[in-house]
């Protein structure tokens, strides 16, 4: 299971975009609610629903020795591999200096070792985030979700988090980046 280390990209929505979607002026909205709860909340919901990174971030995942070259990475929409290290049995960490190749499937990304996969457990650090120009439906989903949350904020904003945005016909807008389920 991949771990998000840190977001590196800007938020995927702006206050102005959400205001336009809500047919309001930015100054008429609650900027703190939009910027600190709604935008991060709908981004997180989209990421958990799809298994893909929407806002660019650094991820790290460990591969057991049994994963072969060409195995899929846990998070979808990987754009670059930052590093690969070999994890020794006694906890030592050795950087892998060989060649790695990232190949993009429609929804998944695969890591290849052209000159052979190193033996043992690996820790892979990579950067992932969706290209909203390539997948405009994702932006539409985010904006519709943000509008829904803002319009029904009394029901959906609980404390400092969001209750799940109700499922609807618009969820198919995320299908292009949804990582298939694994065992």
């Amino acid at each position: 299971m991949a771990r998000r280390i840190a977001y590196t990209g800007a938020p995927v929505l702006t206050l102005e975009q959400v205001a336009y979607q809500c047919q309001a002026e930015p100054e008429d909205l609650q900027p703190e609610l939009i910027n600190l709860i709604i935008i991060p909340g709908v981004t997180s919901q989209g990421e958990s629903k799809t298994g893909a990174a929407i806002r660019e971030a650094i991820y790290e995942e460990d591969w057991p020795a049994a994963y072969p070259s060409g195995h899929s990475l846990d998070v979808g929409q990987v754009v670059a591999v930052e590093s690969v290290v070999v994890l020794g049995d006694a906890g030592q960490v050795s950087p892998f200096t060989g060649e790695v190749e990232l190949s993009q499937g429609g929804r998944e990304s695969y890591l290849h070792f052209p000159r052979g996969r190193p033996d043992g457990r690996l820790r892979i650090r990579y950067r992932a985030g969706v290209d909203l120009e390539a997948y405009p439906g994702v932006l539409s989903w985010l904006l519709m979700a943000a509008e829904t949350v803002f319009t029904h904020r009394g029901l959906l904003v609980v404390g400092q988090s969001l209750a799940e945005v109700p499922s609807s016909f618009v969820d198919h807008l995320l299908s292009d980046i949804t990582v298939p389920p694994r065992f």
Side-chain angles (χ1 to χ4, degrees), residues 135-156:
Y135 298 104
V138 175
L139 180 61
S140 296
W141 186 93
L142 291 165
L143 287 167
M144 288 181 209
E147 177 186 19
T148 300
V149 171
F150 183 76
T151 303
H152 302 286
R153 61 194 173 277
L155 297 172
L156 297 174

Side-chain angles (χ1 to χ4, degrees), residues 50-63:
T50 63
I54 292 178
R55 181 178 175 186
E56 187 176 285
I58 297 288
Y59 292 86
E60 194 172 78
E61 71 179 80
D62 291 347
W63 277 17

Side-chain angles (χ1 to χ4, degrees), residues 105-126:
R107 297 178 181 148
E108 294 181 280
S109 303
Y110 304 91
L111 184 60
H112 299 274
F113 297 91
R115 301 204 189 320
R117 183 201 187 282
D119 293 330
R121 295 181 308 129
L122 303 178
R123 179 163 292 149
I124 302 144
R125 187 174 276 230
Y126 52 89

Side-chain angles (χ1 to χ4, degrees), residues 85-99:
V85 297
V86 179
L87 303 173
D89 293 333
Q92 69 274 29
V93 176
S94 306
F96 174 69
T97 57
E99 187 180 345

Side-chain angles (χ1 to χ4, degrees), residues 5 10 21 30 44 49 64 66 70 78 81-82 85 91 104-105 108 111 115 119 124 137 155 162-163 167 173 182:
I5 304 301
Q21 181 71 24
Q30 298 168 286
S44 178
K49 187 176 276 296
V78 176
V81 175
E82 301 286 320
V85 297
Q104 304 289 351
E108 294 181 280
L111 184 60
R115 301 204 189 320
D119 293 330
I124 302 144
L155 297 172
L162 295 181
S167 296
L173 295 170
R182 299 186 182 105

